[in-house]
């Protein structure tokens, strides 16, 4: 990513100035909500989410949180489904490049702030990093109890029995817990929290994570947080413990066996291949010489040659 | 109070409640001992359901107080109890059996999940244990264990009531509120349910506050009766005494209308 | 050879370029002007102003042009612009009794001071396509009457109120300060101030359907159209330095006051109740629907059983905003392949288990 790409024509510039000003006015209010969220891990703090020049449900909450914590020295990475090059990640990165003139990167290790939708990077995050999640529905109890008035009471009184009823029903019906993503967790032994629709594969990464994790839901007007090194437990039963899903095959490009894989349909004959969903993880591994079956014949992939050249510069 | 008489389990003083200026419950006082079954009888509109809802904390009284003796023996004023503690009490040491099972059950959750909910709410985290307990309770309320994964929607009216009772009793409460538990059921189904309730109440030593308009149900289940009319308690006493030798003219009328029917 | 999809940035830029081209359409046809949209698609402009909650005809017309006539998209553009504007303060409450009325009808009185004024209305038009409009036309000049000299047109609810037959409106400044939906997160239960703000910004189609549902029995409230009036009202703002209110200009409004199901008791004489609707420009359908839903949402106030969706505050207020709704519905087209992958893997595993169980049962069945 090369940074401040002038992708819009001139009449956007005026609105960008306006948007910038609005974000400036809004930052204090959001920062206050973030501080409260950090002080009460897993608790959903209501905040006066502003209308952003992008649709609700497309990352407005994450964008407002990122905007509120972004400083001039920060380096921003934006991923969607683990990848830097998915259209909405590109769009959000371009938004910040235009309105905040911030340095951007695709390298997880180089980023100080990572805004994400649906994934946690494979690389272990550090104490110098903040992970900002885009959240569609922040309320883990929402699909059991649609009323906000009731769910807030349930949280206030730690009445989480219903959550386990849902898991009980899964086991009774399917033999095991049938939640594959947005798998609910309990934070610091108190609040039950929706980790946003990340695959449950990523759940263990939230526990005792050195990085600060912030969650922003724009349409639902909620911010919540997991402070560094906080205990995050995925809900389960003693005799049906939480299980991280595994893949039977390694990444076809980099040969990784411990990463989350996307299934790619290669033809209409049932052909499938699996590749890392975390594009930076995959590229870094290939740059270090790891090869999957798909690249076994090609010692150096053109993309790797490029990244090696860049590295040499 | 006499030193060797145990303190009452539940004690209400001067409870009143009005709806839009119309009093539904006026200055009602009563007490209930552990293991005692108290029937509140009266015609519809007499205030008996309002009284039940006041006693069970589902309604807040305009005036008056309710004290409940906790498991540690200390009597507590319910109005001064924090909401969290009151709700915990309501789902562990108390039960509430509704006339309409749909209000007391989760109709889209299996029978096992319905019974297990209270256990999970107080921290039960072993699926196998929860399921075994649920199966045991199904047996106790005479529901075949192979119906454990069926939803209440697939149950008959009588089975739903029995499931509701099992769901309430799983945490071994000491006090159960019942609102017309046999209402709307066929006579034969009613008889079977009454037998079951009577057996469970005796086995478990439950205290029960039972609202019914059916004096036959009151006679079969209760030790004591209070008769309500227009929000007032007009007569109370041991069940046999009230039904065999009613003092108030209104009670005499109630009893005779049952005998005539 | 598999290569991961790249170049999202260029694809987006090209898609937007194509969109601009499609918006312009056939270059042989003159481009539509903002003034044409303002003047000739005026009701679309009114809707975008109302639901965009910004009174600016030119801006709304421009948004409609940019949105290719997609009104929800135009409302979104206006909202996103609105939120960047500095806030100077609040106007004084509008006095709709002082409205320069262009249309005023009442269903509760046959005649009343000021009379029934039909104004520009689709009512009583026969809905036949007018093929004459295919050609340009100058159109016939409207009939006119001499302007009444500065006559305040009494509001019907004031006439009923003079007899104390309808609940009084809360006086300005009474009770809590007026909330601001755009500044504070909406909590429940919401006050009527926030409810009315939410409904005024709410989607016309959503409110129409809810209002309709109350008429069909899902929370009936026996409405009479006390009055619908449309016209110009002066906006005033208190100038702190001068110590009095100064006029800012006129805006066009449509107001609907419903007269609803009376309430009373043995000790309190019965009175009619109110449902209120207000919007920018000429937006009668919206104002009427809003008034029906406003009254339905007051169920608790009048100890009415809440059994219809229109009476359910949390349901109505959480789903009325079409900018929120469209964002969340349309976000489903964003990539979800990580979640889908998680789900499909789990499904495969579950299917394998079922197959295994069934295979295990076959010999038993055969025995």
């Amino acid at each position: 990513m090369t940074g401040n790409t002038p992708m819009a024509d001139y009449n956007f510039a005026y609105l960008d100035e306006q948007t910038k000003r609005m974000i400036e006015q809004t930052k204090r209010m959001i920062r206050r909500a973030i501080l409260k969220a950090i002080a009460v891990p897993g608790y959903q703090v209501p905040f006066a989410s502003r209308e952003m020049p992008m649709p609700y449900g497309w990352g407005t909450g994450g964008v407002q949180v990122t905007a509120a914590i972004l400083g001039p020295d920060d380096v921003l990475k934006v991923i969607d489904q683990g990848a830097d090059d998915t259209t909405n990640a590109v769009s959000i990165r371009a938004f910040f490049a235009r309105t905040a003139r911030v340095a951007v990167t695709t390298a997880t290790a180089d980023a100080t702030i990572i805004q994400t939708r649906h994934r946690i990077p494979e690389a272990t995050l550090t104490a110098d990093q903040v992970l900002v999640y885009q959240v569609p529905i922040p309320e883990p109890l929402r699909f059991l109890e649609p009323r906000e008035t009731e769910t807030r009471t349930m949280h206030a009184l730690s009445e989480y029995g219903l959550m386990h009823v849902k898991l009980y029903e899964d086991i009774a019906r399917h033999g095991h817990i049938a939640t594959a993503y947005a798998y609910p967790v309990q934070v610091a032994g108190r609040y039950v929290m929706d980790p946003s629709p990340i695959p449950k594969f990523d759940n263990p990464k939230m526990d005792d994570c050195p990085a600060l994790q912030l969650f922003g839901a724009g349409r639902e007007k909620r911010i919540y947080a997991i402070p560094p090194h906080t205990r995050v437990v995925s809900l389960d039963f003693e005799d049906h413990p939480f299980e991280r899903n595994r893949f039977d095959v390694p990444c076809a490009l980099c040969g990784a066996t411990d990463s989350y894989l996307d299934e790619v349909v290669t033809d209409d004959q049932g052909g499938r291949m699996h590749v890392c969903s975390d594009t930076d993880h995959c590229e870094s591994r290939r740059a270090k010489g790891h090869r999957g079956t798909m690249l076994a014949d090609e010692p150096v992939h053109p993309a790797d040659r490029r990244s090696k050249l860049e590295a040499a510069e | 109070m006499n030193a060797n008489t145990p303190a009452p389990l539940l004690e209400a003083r001067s409870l009143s409640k009005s709806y839009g200026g119309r009093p539904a419950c006026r200055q009602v006082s009563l007490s209930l001992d552990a293991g005692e079954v108290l029937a509140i009888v009266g015609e519809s509109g007499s205030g008996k359901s309002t009284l039940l809802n006041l006693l069970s904390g589902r309604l807040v009284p305009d005036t008056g107080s309710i004290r409940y003796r906790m498991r540690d023996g200390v009597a507590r004023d319910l109005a001064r109890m924090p909401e969290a503690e009151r709700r915990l009490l309501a789902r562990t040491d108390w039960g509430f059996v509704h006339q309409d099972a749909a209000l007391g059950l989760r109709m889209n959750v299996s029978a096992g999940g319905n019974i297990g909910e209270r256990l999970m709410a107080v921290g039960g985290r072993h699926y196998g244990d929860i399921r075994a307990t649920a199966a045991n309770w199904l047996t106790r309320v005479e529901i075949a264990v192979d119906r454990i994964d069926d939803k209440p929607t697939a149950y008959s009216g009588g089975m739903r009531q029995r499931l509701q009772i099992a769901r309430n009793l799983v945490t071994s409460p000491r006090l159960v509120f019942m609102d017309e538990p046999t209402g709307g059921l066929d006579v034969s189904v009613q008889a079977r349910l009454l037998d079951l309730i009577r057996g469970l109440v005796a086995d478990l030593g439950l205290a029960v506050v039972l609202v019914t308009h059916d004096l036959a149900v009151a006679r079969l289940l209760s030790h004591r009766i209070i008769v309500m009319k227009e929000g007032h308690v007009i007569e109370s006493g041991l069940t046999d005494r009230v039904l065999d030798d009613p003092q108030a003219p209104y009670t005499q009328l109630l009893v005779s209308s049952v005998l005539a029917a | 050879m598999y290569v991961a999809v790249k170049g999202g940035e260029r694809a987006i830029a090209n898609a937007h370029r194509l969109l601009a081209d499609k918006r312009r359409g056939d270059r042989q046809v003159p481009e539509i002007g903002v003034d044409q949209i303002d003047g000739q698609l005026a009701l679309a402009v009114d809707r975008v102003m109302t639901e965009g909650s910004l009174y600016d005809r030119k801006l709304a017309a421009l948004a409609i042009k940019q949105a290719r006539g997609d009104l929800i998209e135009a409302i979104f553009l206006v909202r996103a612009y609105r939120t960047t504007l500095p806030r100077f303060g609040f106007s004084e409450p509008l006095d709709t009794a002082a409205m320069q009325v262009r249309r005023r009808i009442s269903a509760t009185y046959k005649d009343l001071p000021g009379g029934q004024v039909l104004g520009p209305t689709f009512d009583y038009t026969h809905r036949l396509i007018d093929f004459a409009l295919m050609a340009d036309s100058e159109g016939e000049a409207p009939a006119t009457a001499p302007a009444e000299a500065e006559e305040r047109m009494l509001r019907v609810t004031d006439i009923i109120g003079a007899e104390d037959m309808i609940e009084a409106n809360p006086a300005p400044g009474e009770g809590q300060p007026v909330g601001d939906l755009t500044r504070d997160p909406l909590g429940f239960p919401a006050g009527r101030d926030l409810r009315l703000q939410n409904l005024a910004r709410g989607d016309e189609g959503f409110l129409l359907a809810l209002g309709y549902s109350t008429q069909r029995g899902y929370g009936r409230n026996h409405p009479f159209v006390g009055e619908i009036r449309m016209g110009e009202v002066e906006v005033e703002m208190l100038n702190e330095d001068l110590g009095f209110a100064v006029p800012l200009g006129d805006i066009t409004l449509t107001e609907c006051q419903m007269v609803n199901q009376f309430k009373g008791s043995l000790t309190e004489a019965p009175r009619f109740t109110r449902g209120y609707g207000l919007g920018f420009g000429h937006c009668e359908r919206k104002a009427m629907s809003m008034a029906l839903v406003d009254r339905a949402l007051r169920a608790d106030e009048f100890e009415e059983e809440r059994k219809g969706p229109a009476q359910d505050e949390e349901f109505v207020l959480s789903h009325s905003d079409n900018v929120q709704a469209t964002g969340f519905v349309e976000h489903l087209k964003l990539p979800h392949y990580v979640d889908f992958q998680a789900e499909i893997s789990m499904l495969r595993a579950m299917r394998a288990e079922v197959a295994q169980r069934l295979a295990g049962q076959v010999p038993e069945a055969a025995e």
Side-chain angles (χ1 to χ4, degrees):
Chain A
M1 179 77 201
T2 47
N4 307 331
T5 317
M7 60 174 265
D9 50 59
Y10 73 96
N11 66 14
F12 277 116
Y14 171 72
L15 248 189
D16 281 348
E17 279 309 305
Q18 303 258 316
T19 306
K20 238 160 80 180
R21 204 171 65 208
M22 186 267 298
I23 287 174
E24 285 306 321
Q25 291 167 354
T26 312
K27 270 181 187 173
R28 272 172 69 100
M29 175 267 294
I30 295 178
R31 284 177 186 151
R32 213 173 290 141
I34 291 172
L35 287 174
K36 185 168 177 183
I38 294 169
V40 193
Y43 170 73
Q44 300 167 51
V45 181
F47 79 111
S49 175
R50 293 293 149 88
E51 263 139 341
M52 303 297 285
M54 62 185 63
Y56 286 111
W58 295 52
T60 54
V63 164
Q64 288 179 80
V65 169
T66 298
I69 62 171
L70 205 56
D73 300 332
D74 274 312
V75 181
L76 178 67
K77 172 182 164 82
V78 183
I79 51 174
D80 188 335
Q81 316 294 303
D84 298 271
D85 53 12
T86 36
T87 42
N88 204 42
V90 169
S91 169
I92 290 172
R93 192 164 50 229
F95 174 80
F96 279 114
R98 281 210 316 263
T99 57
R101 306 271 165 212
V102 68
V104 293
T105 183
T106 60
T108 304
D110 296 345
T112 57
I113 296 172
I114 303 168
Q115 180 169 331
T116 181
R117 180 169 167 265
H118 294 193
R119 275 309 312 275
I120 299 175
E122 305 294 358
T124 308
L125 301 178
T126 68
D128 301 329
Q129 294 178 310
V130 181
L131 186 59
V132 178
Y133 296 74
Q134 297 172 209
V135 181
I137 301 274
E139 181 48 73
L141 304 165
R142 181 60 69 240
F143 302 107
L144 302 168
E145 171 54 62
R147 273 174 204 290
E148 181 70 18
T149 35
E150 183 56 26
T151 53
R152 285 191 80 79
T153 308
M154 291 162 80
H155 281 296
L157 303 177
S158 298
E159 284 184 8
Y160 294 130
L162 197 54
M163 207 79 222
H164 270 87
V165 171
K166 201 255 167 211
L167 302 182
Y168 172 96
E169 292 291 284
D170 274 2
I171 300 171
R173 185 153 305 111
H174 304 297
H176 45 73
I177 296 168
T179 300
Y181 60 91
Y183 192 107
V185 295
Q186 188 157 34
V187 181
R190 177 58 179 87
Y191 286 98
V192 166
M193 186 196 92
D194 183 312
S196 87
I198 57 172
K200 68 175 181 178
F201 177 92
D202 284 341
N203 271 26
K205 297 177 192 167
M206 289 183 287
D207 182 35
D208 195 29
C209 176
L212 171 64
Q213 302 173 76
L214 300 174
F215 299 77
R219 190 179 42 77
E220 299 277 342
K221 302 177 172 56
R222 296 288 184 273
I223 286 172
Y224 51 102
I226 304 174
H229 299 294
T230 301
R231 186 107 176 88
V232 178
V233 179
S234 303
L235 300 186
D236 61 3
F237 287 104
E238 289 156 16
D239 48 343
H240 285 267
F242 171 83
E243 270 177 24
R244 196 181 189 188
N245 47 332
R246 306 207 143 274
F247 293 87
D248 310 333
V249 292
C251 170
L253 297 180
C254 77
T257 55
D258 57 353
S259 66
Y260 192 82
L261 303 180
D262 284 337
E263 181 175 319
V264 179
V265 177
T266 51
D267 56 39
D268 56 1
Q269 312 294 311
R272 300 278 192 278
M273 63 179 285
H274 290 80
V275 296
C276 288
S277 110
D278 183 337
T279 48
D280 176 60
H281 181 68
C282 197
E283 281 163 21
S284 316
R285 280 179 51 82
R286 276 179 277 147
K288 286 179 193 151
H290 294 285
R291 289 291 177 274
T293 49
M294 188 63 71
L295 300 180
D297 308 336
E298 282 193 37
V300 180
H301 183 261
D304 299 331
R305 192 180 301 133
R306 197 182 58 218
S307 45
K308 276 182 182 163
L309 282 174
E310 283 169 5
E313 274 166 13
Chain B
M1 187 178 297
N2 195 321
N4 48 22
T5 316
L9 185 66
L10 185 78
E11 192 169 24
R13 289 220 177 115
S14 309
L15 293 181
S16 293
K17 178 76 183 174
S18 299
Y19 297 110
R22 201 186 58 79
C25 191
R26 315 184 201 209
Q27 298 287 322
V28 174
S29 297
L30 60 84
S31 80
L32 180 76
D33 289 338
E36 188 182 25
V37 179
L38 173 72
I40 306 172
V41 302
E43 295 171 304
S44 64
S46 61
K48 58 187 192 299
S49 290
T50 299
L51 178 58
L52 186 76
N53 285 328
L54 290 172
L55 293 173
S56 58
R58 302 165 73 83
L59 273 180
V60 179
D62 298 337
T63 63
S65 69
I66 302 164
R67 295 173 72 80
Y68 180 73
R69 182 160 53 80
M70 308 292 281
R71 283 178 186 266
D72 61 8
V74 177
R76 303 271 305 275
D77 184 340
L78 292 180
R80 293 183 185 190
M81 203 180 268
E83 190 184 358
E85 200 180 353
R86 203 162 53 228
R87 281 170 74 131
L88 182 69
L89 181 75
R91 62 168 189 251
T92 53
D93 212 22
W94 289 3
F96 198 108
V97 177
H98 297 262
Q99 174 175 3
D100 179 2
L103 294 175
L105 293 173
R106 293 194 188 277
M107 298 304 278
N108 280 315
V109 167
S110 71
N114 263 293
I115 299 176
E117 180 171 354
R118 278 180 162 222
L119 296 174
M120 291 181 259
V122 294
R125 292 294 177 266
H126 192 283
Y127 175 83
D129 291 351
I130 291 164
R131 198 168 168 81
T133 308
N136 178 33
W137 269 103
L138 282 179
T139 312
R140 292 187 76 165
V141 298
E142 300 165 16
I143 294 174
V145 173
D146 65 0
R147 303 294 306 269
I148 192 168
D149 291 331
D150 291 349
K151 293 178 180 178
T153 44
Y155 279 16
S156 69
M159 285 169 75
R160 288 181 191 181
Q161 286 311 64
R162 282 180 271 140
L163 178 60
Q164 212 192 153
I165 289 166
R167 172 178 159 88
N168 273 289
L169 296 188
V170 69
T171 50
S172 310
R174 295 186 299 155
L175 172 60
V176 178
F177 300 95
M178 296 188 181
D179 188 6
E180 305 272 12
T182 59
L185 298 175
D186 292 344
V187 177
S188 62
V189 177
Q190 236 186 64
R192 184 177 170 194
L193 184 60
L194 285 170
D195 269 354
L196 179 80
I197 293 175
R198 191 163 62 163
L200 287 171
V201 165
D203 289 351
L204 302 169
L206 290 177
V208 176
V209 179
L210 167 78
V211 157
T212 181
H213 68 281
D214 187 340
L215 297 185
V217 169
R219 188 190 282 281
L220 194 67
L221 292 183
S222 72
H223 303 119
R224 273 197 306 134
I225 280 188
I226 65 175
V227 183
M228 291 193 72
K229 181 174 188 266
E230 291 168 5
H232 289 289
V233 173
I234 56 160
E235 182 160 3
S236 64
L238 294 175
T239 300
D240 290 342
R241 203 281 293 154
V242 172
L243 295 184
D244 295 340
D245 181 21
Q247 302 295 305
Y250 177 74
T251 316
Q252 289 167 1
L253 204 68
L254 268 187
V255 171
S256 64
S257 69
V258 168
L259 295 177
Chain C
M1 177 56 224
Y2 169 77
V3 181
V5 188
K6 293 271 180 193
E9 206 165 313
R10 218 177 72 216
I12 291 172
N14 282 337
H16 292 169
R17 204 169 133 188
L18 182 58
L19 175 75
D21 173 72
K22 290 293 171 196
R23 182 200 60 70
R24 175 59 185 85
D26 185 352
R27 305 296 203 274
Q28 305 297 312
V29 178
E31 182 165 12
I32 193 168
V34 166
D35 51 347
Q36 287 170 308
I37 296 171
D38 179 5
Q40 296 172 47
L41 299 177
L43 298 185
V45 169
D46 290 342
R47 178 171 176 192
V48 170
M49 290 197 305
T50 298
E51 293 172 34
S53 68
L54 185 66
Y55 195 95
D56 186 330
R57 299 200 67 85
K58 284 282 178 285
L59 191 79
L62 176 61
I64 292 168
K65 176 176 174 177
Q66 186 183 330
R68 305 176 67 196
D70 180 335
L71 295 190
I72 292 183
E73 183 68 27
I75 290 161
F76 186 5
L77 289 169
V78 169
R79 290 265 194 97
Y81 179 81
R82 178 193 189 280
T83 197
T84 67
L85 299 175
R87 164 168 317 223
F88 299 117
F90 299 92
S91 76
E92 294 294 294
L94 299 175
D95 180 10
T96 54
M99 179 183 279
Q100 283 292 313
V101 167
R102 282 196 280 143
R103 170 167 166 79
R104 187 273 201 111
I105 53 165
S106 169
T108 50
Y109 294 105
K110 183 173 182 188
D111 201 4
L112 65 168
Q116 309 262 10
V117 181
L118 284 185
T121 179
F122 290 119
D123 298 350
Y124 320 113
T125 61
H126 297 147
R127 268 59 172 205
L128 303 169
I129 294 228
D130 182 358
F131 289 98
L133 292 177
M134 292 285 270
D136 291 343
S137 79
E138 281 303 306
E140 205 183 344
T144 55
E148 304 280 340
E150 283 297 308
E151 193 196 346
R152 275 174 77 94
M153 207 183 269
L154 209 56
R155 284 178 300 212
V156 168
T157 43
D158 296 337
I159 299 172
I160 306 171
E163 278 186 84
D164 193 27
M165 291 281 283
I166 192 166
E167 57 168 331
N169 261 339
E174 209 172 83
Q176 300 286 320
V178 177
D180 186 344
L181 193 64
T182 64
R183 290 286 160 135
D184 301 303
L186 185 63
F188 299 106
R192 194 172 176 211
D193 50 348
L194 294 176
R195 283 207 310 253
L196 286 170
Q197 287 172 23
N198 177 289
L199 296 178
R201 287 157 61 99
D203 183 74
E204 178 174 314
F206 179 73
L207 296 188
L208 175 67
L210 284 175
Y212 177 44
S213 73
T214 66
Q215 292 179 282
R216 292 195 65 260
Y218 290 84
R220 250 184 113 191
N221 52 41
H222 302 274
F224 294 99
V225 169
E227 181 177 295
I228 294 167
R229 59 170 58 197
M230 184 272 291
E232 281 65 44
V233 175
E234 191 165 74
V235 181
E236 293 185 323
M237 200 169 140
L238 183 72
N239 184 315
E240 301 280 358
D241 296 335
L242 297 176
F244 55 84
V246 293
L248 299 179
D250 285 352
I251 61 172
T252 306
L253 291 175
T254 304
E255 180 186 62
C256 172
Q257 299 231 37
M258 289 286 182
V259 176
N260 299 77
Q261 177 70 48
F262 58 80
K263 285 291 152 190
S265 66
L266 289 178
T267 52
E268 203 182 337
R271 284 186 191 85
F272 290 113
T273 57
R274 292 172 188 258
Y276 189 75
L278 186 75
F280 290 149
H282 193 176
C283 56
E284 210 159 295
R285 186 188 299 121
K286 167 69 182 272
M288 293 177 74
S289 306
M290 177 175 165
L292 288 173
V293 177
D294 168 48
R295 176 58 184 80
L297 287 176
R298 299 178 66 200
D300 282 357
E301 255 179 84
F302 302 117
E303 292 181 343
E304 292 163 341
E305 192 189 354
R306 290 208 277 175
K307 55 183 195 290
Q311 296 168 303
D312 185 331
E313 177 180 272
E314 203 172 320
F315 178 81
V316 173
L317 301 193
S318 300
H319 301 114
S320 62
D321 192 300
N322 54 26
V323 177
Q324 288 176 12
T326 200
F328 201 48
V329 166
E330 294 197 46
H331 109 283
L332 290 174
K333 63 195 168 187
L334 289 179
H336 281 79
Y337 40 78
V338 163
D339 297 349
F340 184 71
Q341 190 57 51
E343 193 104 331
I344 202 170
S345 304
M346 188 178 72
L347 209 61
R348 283 194 185 120
M350 284 161 65
R351 287 173 60 87
E353 284 166 25
V354 171
Q356 219 169 11
R357 266 201 294 280
L358 291 177
Q361 277 169 12
V362 171
E364 284 172 37
E367 273 166 21

